[in-house]
Amino acid sequence: MTTPRTGRALVARLDSFGDVLLAGPAVRAVAARAAHVTFLCGPRGEPAARLLPGVDEVLVWDAPWAGFDAPDVDRADLDRLVGRIEADTALVLTSFHQSPLPTALVLRLAGVARIAADSEDYPGTLLDVRHHRAPHAHEVEAALDLAAAAGFPAVDDGRPRIRPVPDTRDLTGSSPYVVLHPGASVPARAWSPDRCAQAVRELAAAGHRVLVTGGPGERELTAHVAGERGLDLGGRTDAARLAGVLAGASALVTGNTGPAHLAAAVGTPVVSLFAPVVPAERWRPYGVPCVLLGDQHAPCADSRARTCPVPGHPCLDSVTAHEVLRAVEKVAVKKEAVDKADKETDDKADKEADDKADKEADEKVRAL
C-alpha cells in the first residue's frame, strides 16, 4: 500500500553546490511522504537544488553563518525569509563540523512545528529530533539516517540523482569522451593547471577525446588546460548543461568539487583528485565507480584549509598524468559494462512490452 503524502516539509542545506546534490537522496525520502517539499539553500547551492527530484519550491537565502564570504546579519532580510517559510516539519542538513542551531532558530521563528537535525550541541527547544550522526558516515548516508529518524525512511537505493538532463551533443559531439574539470571552489582542492594540461595530452595520446569544462570565470584556466589536444568548453555550460555533458562521458577527472558529485548523480564514474583537507570517507563521489588519487595522509589532512598549507601542494601534485590515464581506463571499462547491461535490460523490457501488445492484439482479433 502506498503511504499517502501529507503536509509541507522543508529541507535546508545552506552551503555549496555539491553539498546540495548529496542531500538529494534524503529529499526523495521526504518527498515520498510529504505533499510539498521546499528546499532552503544558499546562492551557491541554488543551481543544484533546482535539479533535484522531489523539490517543489526553492528558497534561496545567503545565511550569515554559511559560505566562504558570509554576509552581515540583516534583520529586514531575516524577517523577509521568515515570512516566506511555510512548513510543518523540517530537516536541517549540515556537515559534521557545522551546527544546525542557527538555522533551526530561523525555522522556529517561521512557525515550523517539528525540526530534526544532527546536533552534538544542546539544542534547548530548537529541535524536536536531536539526532547523532554515525562517526564516519558519508554525507549521503548521514542525511538519509537523519531523514529516517525524522519519519522519512529511504524509498530507493539512496544514490544521488537529478532530473532528466538536456541533450548536449551540440557541444560534445558523439560519445565516447572523457571530461576533465580543472577548477575547484578553493585552491587547496585543485590539481595544478600544468598537471591538468599534461593529463589532457596524455589522455589524447592514448586515443581519448578530452573535453575541458569550467565556469564563466575559468575560461583562461580551461583554455590553458585544453591546449591543442582538448576541446575547451569553459563558460559554455550552466548546471543542467554540464550535467548533460557529464552524462555522456566515459569518466570525469576532477578534484573534490561539485562537478564530481554531479557526475555521480548522472551515473558517470569519477577519477577523483582528492585533497585530504576534508575526509574522503565523507565526501568522495557516491554510488558510482571511483578511483581516488592523492595522498590521503598528507600533513594537510582534515585541516579544512582553503589554501594548501604545505609548499608544493604535494598531496595532489605528486599524482602523475599517467596515473590519471590508468585510472580513467579502469573506470571507463566499468561504465561501458554498466551501459551495456542497462541497454540489455531496456531491450528486454521493450521486447516484453511488444510481446504483450502483440498478445493483446491477437486476443482482440480472436474475440471478434
Side-chain angles (χ1 to χ4, degrees), residues 40 55-56 74 95 118 125 131 139 168 198 218 230 240 247 249 251-252 268 272 286 292 305 314 321 336 355:
L40 174 62
V55 172
D56 299 299
D74 183 329
S95 298
D118 291 324
T125 60
H131 186 256
E139 291 296 301
T168 54
Q198 289 171 8
E218 296 175 318
L252 168 69
T268 295
S272 177
Y286 190 85
L292 209 66
E336 290 171 5
D355 290 346

Side-chain angles (χ1 to χ4, degrees), residues 11-75:
V11 179
R13 183 85 207 210
L14 292 172
D15 27 23
S16 298
F17 184 93
D19 304 310
V20 170
L21 289 175
L22 294 178
V27 169
R28 298 198 303 271
V30 173
R33 296 196 172 216
H36 185 278
V37 177
T38 298
F39 199 100
L40 174 62
C41 62
R44 290 181 302 135
E46 179 185 3
R50 297 195 182 282
L51 295 176
L52 294 181
V55 172
D56 299 299
E57 176 187 16
V58 176
L59 289 182
V60 183
W61 186 55
D62 200 1
W65 54 85
F68 299 135
D69 189 20
D72 293 333
V73 174
D74 183 329
R75 176 62 182 269

Side-chain angles (χ1 to χ4, degrees), residues 145-269:
D145 287 347
L146 174 62
F152 302 102
V155 292
D156 53 35
D157 62 5
R159 291 170 52 182
R161 288 191 180 85
I162 59 171
R163 299 178 189 272
V165 301
D167 186 336
T168 54
R169 284 175 292 181
D170 60 312
L171 290 177
T172 66
S174 59
S175 298
Y177 55 83
V178 173
V179 175
L180 192 149
H181 187 93
S185 57
V186 295
R189 300 184 188 185
W191 206 25
S192 73
D194 288 343
R195 289 286 194 187
C196 290
Q198 289 171 8
V200 169
R201 294 192 293 271
E202 185 99 8
L203 287 161
H208 297 279
R209 289 180 60 228
V210 186
L211 281 52
V212 180
T213 56
E218 296 175 318
R219 287 174 175 157
E220 185 175 341
L221 170 64
T222 59
H224 171 76
V225 170
E228 296 181 355
R229 304 297 301 275
L231 175 61
D232 180 11
L233 297 183
R236 298 177 65 187
T237 56
D238 59 11
R241 296 272 281 170
L242 179 58
V245 170
L246 294 174
S250 301
L252 168 69
V253 179
T254 193
N256 174 25
T257 189
H261 303 301
L262 188 59
V266 295
T268 295

Side-chain angles (χ1 to χ4, degrees), residues 326-347:
R326 289 191 326 197
V328 164
E329 293 183 338
K330 179 179 179 180
V331 298
V333 167
K334 294 181 179 179
K335 173 80 181 293
E336 290 171 5
V338 170
D339 288 347
K340 181 180 178 182
D342 287 346
K343 185 177 186 305
E344 289 174 351
T345 299
D346 290 343
D347 289 346

Side-chain angles (χ1 to χ4, degrees), residues 75-133:
R75 176 62 182 269
D77 184 46
L78 178 60
D79 288 343
R80 284 191 293 271
L81 174 67
V82 166
R84 294 174 65 197
I85 292 172
E86 185 180 354
D88 310 305
T89 186
L91 268 63
V92 182
L93 303 180
T94 55
S95 298
F96 68 99
H97 62 279
Q98 297 170 328
S99 171
L101 299 184
T103 305
L105 175 59
V106 172
L107 297 174
R108 276 288 190 249
L109 291 172
V112 179
R114 189 168 185 269
I115 304 173
D118 291 324
S119 183
E120 298 304 316
D121 299 325
Y122 172 65
T125 60
L126 296 180
L127 298 181
D128 302 283
V129 179
R130 180 191 182 188
H131 186 256
H132 298 278
R133 66 184 287 163

